[in-house]
Amino acid sequence: MSERRTRHDLRISFIVNGEERRVEAPPMKRLLDVLREDLHLTGTKEGCGEGECGSCSVRMNGELVNSCLVPVLQAEGAAIETVEGLGKAGKLHPIQEAFLACGGAQCGICTPGMLMATAQLLAINPHPTIGEIREGLAGNLCRCTGFKRIFDSVAAAVCEMDSRTGGAHAG
Amino acid sequence: MANNQMTNYIMPTAEDVPPIHIYFEEIPCRFGGCGAKGIGELPHDGPAPAILNGIRDAIGVGFNTIPLLPEDLFEQLSAQESKAEAATV
């Protein structure tokens, strides 16, 4: 959409936030750029661009990936979930509510990645210990918060999601 | 987690940060209103004026823009000299 198609472009189709999407892009274009430029899903942020910081984290086929390290070719047929798929203004996901309530976002550039990493963590492990929260977010760097409020946010999200599903959570 | 440079220093991750407790140690600053003083992100705007003031102190010519290059100094000093010469003639 954003660029004219060249003879090197490939037709890629994948599922983004539950919707089937098709793009025409160079095969080595970063998934990050396809999401932001071709699909205008600018919630996913570029931090370092080299897989260090986790700002560009998205979920792909149930795994957390750094979208700056994924050539779009690899995303053919994949199910991608970005922060836009988590919740919307006025109807936020409990994880987003928790980050808002606990001050888990400060400057904001790590936030979409933190949210996706949290979503991934809680999908695998709905009741993480503090150690597991730390481990689950270890691939996402935050320069502002010192992480404490992010841990608090994740813990609050666990409680909130428990109460919504009526799941019993000891402790 | 010791780092010796700012270019590629290693940041603490979620697994590295120690528990953080915050205490307030109040030492009023005599230059700020009600003792207030800015803290947190260090401002970068002090050094350039300090250096330019140092140059003015040394050569008597004031500059108010950066970057300040040797050519700028030369130009200003030459202009001053020629002005001084014109005055003495």
Side-chain angles (χ1 to χ4, degrees), chain A residues 6-155:
Chain A
T6 73
R7 67 196 170 88
H8 301 294
D9 287 356
L10 279 187
R11 288 195 175 87
I12 309 270
S13 60
F14 47 17
I15 294 165
V16 181
N17 299 329
E19 222 177 288
E20 182 156 2
R21 305 297 297 260
R22 290 166 199 278
V23 294
E24 287 171 357
M28 291 304 285
K29 189 166 179 177
R30 304 182 300 176
L31 175 61
L32 169 67
D33 297 327
V34 171
L35 290 171
R36 290 181 56 87
E37 294 168 7
D38 297 62
L39 301 179
H40 305 293
L41 295 172
T42 53
T44 304
K45 305 293 183 228
E46 174 166 12
C48 66
E50 50 192 41
E52 285 285 333
C53 76
S55 278
C56 64
S57 300
V58 299
R59 296 178 74 199
M60 179 164 140
N61 294 333
E63 282 191 58
L64 196 70
V65 298
N66 288 320
S67 63
C68 72
L69 295 185
V70 178
V72 68
L73 178 69
Q74 268 181 22
E76 166 66 35
I80 313 279
E81 197 190 329
T82 71
V83 71
E84 285 89 349
L86 214 53
K88 293 197 164 44
K91 201 189 168 196
L92 296 179
H93 189 279
I95 296 172
Q96 292 169 311
E97 299 268 14
F99 270 69
L100 201 55
C102 300
Q106 206 165 313
C107 88
I109 191 147
C110 76
T111 309
M114 285 290 178
L115 293 170
M116 297 317 290
T118 305
Q120 174 69 12
L121 171 67
L122 300 188
I124 299 170
N125 180 359
H127 300 115
T129 62
I130 177 66
E132 289 165 342
I133 294 174
R134 283 171 171 266
E135 193 187 343
L137 301 182
N140 294 70
L141 298 181
C142 170
R143 303 185 88 99
C144 303
T145 63
F147 296 101
K148 183 178 185 305
R149 291 186 174 203
I150 293 176
F151 303 151
D152 294 347
S153 304
V154 177

Side-chain angles (χ1 to χ4, degrees), chain B residues 2-3 7 10-11 15-16 23 25-26 36 38 61-62 65 76-78 80 82-83:
Chain B
N3 290 287
T7 46
I10 298 165
M11 271 181 65
E15 284 192 293
D16 304 318
Y23 301 96
E25 175 77 12
E26 297 197 354
V61 184
T65 57
Q76 282 297 319
L77 289 173
S78 309
Q80 244 195 1
S82 57
K83 215 188 285 174

Side-chain angles (χ1 to χ4, degrees), chain B residues 21-61:
Chain B
H21 303 282
I22 297 166
Y23 301 96
F24 290 100
E25 175 77 12
E26 297 197 354
I27 305 169
C29 172
R30 65 194 172 95
F31 302 111
C34 305
K37 185 178 184 180
I39 58 163
E41 304 202 352
L42 294 177
H44 273 196
D45 41 10
I51 290 168
L52 296 191
N53 284 343
I55 290 168
R56 186 180 61 191
D57 188 51
I59 67 172
V61 184

